[in-house]
Amino acid sequence: MPQIIPIKELKNTTEISDLCHKTNELTLNKLEMYQDIAISEYQIDIGETKDAKLAVQEMRKKYGL
């Protein structure tokens, strides 16, 4: 079963490495997820986000929903 590791604990690379070797699980998906989170946080910091209600209104108007 997958184990979720909090972002705060990513600094403990030795412990994460040991955990991965013990569980023999693929970590690529986990790393991709953390990369996506980091990208999202960066986009929020630089203001590349939209208000959710406005984005939904634009999509409804665009697709006639």
Side-chain angles (χ1 to χ4, degrees):
M1 180 169 197
Q3 184 171 6
I4 298 172
I5 303 170
I7 291 176
K8 294 177 186 177
E9 295 181 16
L10 287 179
K11 294 178 184 176
N12 302 327
T13 55
T14 305
E15 292 176 19
I16 293 172
S17 178
D18 292 342
L19 178 65
C20 293
H21 290 292
K22 287 178 186 176
T23 60
N24 292 325
E25 290 185 25
L26 296 175
T27 58
L28 184 58
N29 290 339
K30 293 177 188 176
L31 293 176
E32 288 176 0
M33 179 184 70
Y34 285 119
Q35 288 174 342
D36 290 342
I37 291 170
I39 290 169
S40 297
E41 288 176 345
Y42 174 74
Q43 289 173 332
I44 290 169
D45 289 342
I46 63 172
E48 279 191 2
T49 58
K50 285 187 176 182
D51 178 59
K53 289 181 181 180
L54 179 62
V56 170
Q57 287 175 353
E58 289 175 359
M59 283 195 302
R60 285 182 177 158
K61 183 177 180 181
K62 181 177 179 179
Y63 295 106
L65 301 173

